[in-house]
Amino acid sequence: MSEPGRPPKWNDPEAFEKAVDEYFENKDITHTWTGLAIHLGFESRQSLEDYKKKDGFSYPIKKALLKIESQYEKALFQKNAAGPIFRSAFHYIVTGK
């Protein structure tokens, strides 16, 4: 019996990791968790969270999140860091992380 819902968007972890890497190659955009989800063809950020549980997909997603968090942290040291500070505080409140 098959699982309910849509078929998986990604079945090949290597192709998935390549698509994640391609997202970060674009230096003309601000990299965000939502932007990555859109780039990968997902309809929500929750889909990324779901894929973190799938074999072969966890590492590229965790690496991408770390890159995005690093960009937020670097922005905290900029002249006007209100946005990243708000985002970081909100993320902590929501996730406890």
Side-chain angles (χ1 to χ4, degrees):
M1 184 174 234
S2 65
E3 292 184 31
R6 292 183 177 184
K9 186 81 175 165
W10 294 91
N11 291 313
D12 181 357
E14 289 180 16
F16 180 83
E17 186 168 11
K18 184 178 180 197
V20 170
D21 291 341
E22 287 171 355
Y23 176 69
F24 288 101
E25 289 173 5
N26 185 346
K27 304 298 183 196
D28 296 330
I29 62 170
T30 300
H31 300 108
T32 65
W33 196 236
T34 304
L36 178 61
I38 292 168
H39 175 79
L40 294 171
F42 293 128
E43 73 286 346
S44 70
R45 295 178 306 181
Q46 183 60 45
S47 296
L48 282 171
E49 293 295 332
D50 295 342
Y51 265 75
K52 271 200 312 192
K53 301 171 191 163
K54 295 178 78 169
D55 288 339
F57 293 89
S58 180
Y59 177 76
I61 292 172
K62 288 178 180 179
K63 186 172 80 172
L65 181 56
L66 195 61
K67 287 180 180 182
I68 291 168
E69 288 177 348
S70 176
Q71 289 179 3
Y72 282 128
E73 290 170 357
K74 287 176 186 175
L76 292 173
F77 294 98
Q78 302 299 317
K79 195 171 193 175
N80 182 0
I85 290 171
F86 173 79
R87 189 268 173 211
S88 296
F90 180 76
H91 179 76
Y92 179 78
I93 291 167
V94 171
T95 66
K97 298 178 186 174

